[in-house]
Structure formats: C-alpha cells, structure tokens
Amino acid sequence: TPVYDVNVGVFDALVLADIAFFDNHNHVLDSATRALVDSACQKAIEYVMTFNVGEDYTNIAMTSAAVGAAAKTLYNTTGADTFAQTKLSNIYTESGGVAQNHVVYEYLAPTYYGVDLSSVYHCQRFAFNSTFAQTVSSMEYNLWLQIGIAYHGPTGQLGGPWCRTYGQNMLQYTAYLNYFLDLGLTNGYPVTSGQPVQIGDETGALHMCDLPVTVNPQLNQSQPYGLKTLLASPGPTDTTDTPRTLYLSRCKNSFMLGTVAVQDM
C-alpha cells in the first residue's frame, strides 16, 4: 500500500503557484496547460487551508503561509489573506518565538531552515498588503540572524544542537540550506552534485528559482572562538513554556561542536 506524505500538497501548491506566477509574466503556457495548472493549484490551495497545520510544525506552517499569500495574489481566494497573515503571525509569536527569542521552533535545522527561507521569500513575492510584508521582513531578518550566529566559516557547519536534519555533515550532505548559504555568503558555499540528498532538499532548488537571495551581512565567515549562546523557542507540546538555552562551542578553526536533537537520519 503506498504511503503518502500529507505535507506534499503544501509543496505542490507552492510549485504550481510559481508556475502560474512565471506564466503571468512570460506567457509561455498554452491555454489548456495553463487551465490545468490553475485547477491543480487551486485544489492544492484548498487542501492546504483545510489541513491548516499547526504553527509548531514550523517549516510546513511557513510554507502554508506562502501558499495562502499566493492564493490571495493569484486567485483572490476567499479568506486566503487572513489565513496567511494569521499563520505567519502565529509563528512569529508562538511561545515567545521569533518575537521574543529571535528563533523558530524547528531551530538550526539545515533542511528546514532552507524551507523556512524559501517560504519567507515566497511570502515576500506574494505579499498582499504592508502589514503582511512587514511581518515577512522581520521573519527574514531573524532567520538569517540565527543562521549567522550559528554558522562557522572554517568548517562550513552550523554549530550547536540542531532540531532536525537528514545528514550531520553539510559538506557531505546537501541540505536545502546549502543553496541559500551559497547565495548568502560572500565567497559562496560548495553545493556539489552527487552528494547524498533527501528528495525535499534536492527539489528545493526549483523553489529557489528567481528568489531575491543576495549576499547577507549577518553571515560571518570567520566567527571568533569560544562559546556563543542563543535561545530556542519552546513549542506548545513542551512540558514547560520557557526558552531553552543552546550553546555553540567554537574550539578552534578546524572544529565545531554540534549535536542533533531529534529526527536524525
């Protein structure tokens, strides 16, 4: 019996929205194909809004917000603007979250920080009013801030404990975040073909097409030695509602201490 990932509809919706967006600007699809794209996209949007994943599932919730924004901008879907704004605002304030601790619940996850960034840039693409755009801008800033704090240039790794990942060495495994680091770092980041990838990371390159990702001043390629600290936001299923303190240890140029908290494949 096939096993289906219930989250795939969220990514399908965003890919279809991208296709519709590009066709609006370039008109390359014939009318029959475009009608199929619009029909499939609107069905996927309906699924995403009905599914309405919780904000503690950060990367899927963030993608859902992007889908809602696309639905409002492309199809003027009833309630899509409220859905997108509520979803993104709740992620921003969830248990302190970005608003208080400058970090999302799925913290320092090489795969899911890539999904988060893709979603934020898509929210920017499909922003439907200034209030939503302001939340998007703050979310983008804080995601890059956390990545900048954790990124260790000499080893090319994120330090400290990661929430979720599909590979422990980012130079041997192409995480979705690698593509953003390649664009965000002054000297780029190695994204090597033939490296092990998880299918969601590999297809992430499609989502990045034409996103306005530029060199980011928050990324420091020569972080100092010693300990750095950051806070991780607790989720609604945690037994306590207080932030966790995460420690990043930079012992020397060739070494960065890190662990994986949950779901390491």
Side-chain angles (χ1 to χ4, degrees), residues 8-232:
V8 75
V10 179
F11 297 108
D12 288 346
L14 200 54
V15 169
L16 290 163
D18 275 339
I19 293 170
F21 172 82
F22 289 130
D23 190 56
N24 285 349
H25 290 78
N26 299 289
H27 306 295
V28 295
L29 300 179
D30 61 71
S31 58
T33 303
R34 178 56 194 264
L36 288 172
V37 169
D38 287 334
S39 176
C41 188
Q42 290 179 79
K43 287 177 180 175
I45 288 166
E46 181 182 4
Y47 168 79
V48 171
M49 293 177 63
T50 302
F51 186 41
N52 195 21
V53 70
E55 285 78 10
D56 59 316
Y57 199 173
T58 311
N59 77 98
I60 300 300
M62 201 94 80
T63 309
S64 298
V67 170
K72 173 62 179 177
T73 301
L74 294 173
Y75 303 111
N76 199 27
T77 303
T78 302
D81 50 348
T82 301
F83 174 87
Q85 181 67 64
T86 301
K87 189 66 63 183
L88 203 61
S89 296
N90 285 349
I91 296 168
Y92 195 76
T93 58
E94 181 75 50
S95 300
V98 180
Q100 179 178 321
N101 303 320
H102 308 286
V103 67
V104 297
Y105 182 52
E106 291 177 311
Y107 54 89
L108 298 185
T111 291
Y112 297 110
Y113 263 21
V115 177
D116 292 344
L117 283 170
S118 174
S119 301
V120 165
Y121 282 109
H122 276 88
C123 283
Q124 185 183 92
R125 166 178 287 168
F126 295 117
F128 46 83
N129 63 35
S130 59
T131 300
F132 185 73
Q134 185 175 3
T135 307
V136 171
S137 178
S138 183
M139 189 72 75
E140 177 194 347
Y141 173 84
N142 281 285
L143 281 172
W144 279 115
L145 174 66
Q146 284 299 305
I147 293 165
I149 289 172
Y151 182 70
H152 185 241
T155 59
Q157 308 291 336
L158 295 186
W162 299 346
C163 178
R164 303 174 67 195
T165 185
Y166 296 109
Q168 294 187 20
N169 187 335
M170 293 169 61
L171 294 177
Q172 295 179 350
Y173 159 79
T174 300
Y176 194 175
L177 181 60
N178 292 21
Y179 300 112
F180 286 92
L181 289 173
D182 188 39
L183 296 174
L185 287 163
T186 304
N187 298 322
Y189 190 89
V191 180
T192 307
S193 62
Q195 287 180 333
V197 294
Q198 195 264 350
I199 189 65
D201 292 334
E202 190 174 45
T203 55
L206 171 63
H207 281 289
M208 291 188 66
C209 182
D210 201 38
L211 293 180
V213 185
T214 57
V215 171
N216 195 296
Q218 296 183 93
L219 290 174
N220 187 338
Q221 292 185 278
S222 57
Q223 291 277 17
Y225 307 152
L227 285 176
K228 275 184 171 287
T229 63
L230 68 155
L231 295 174

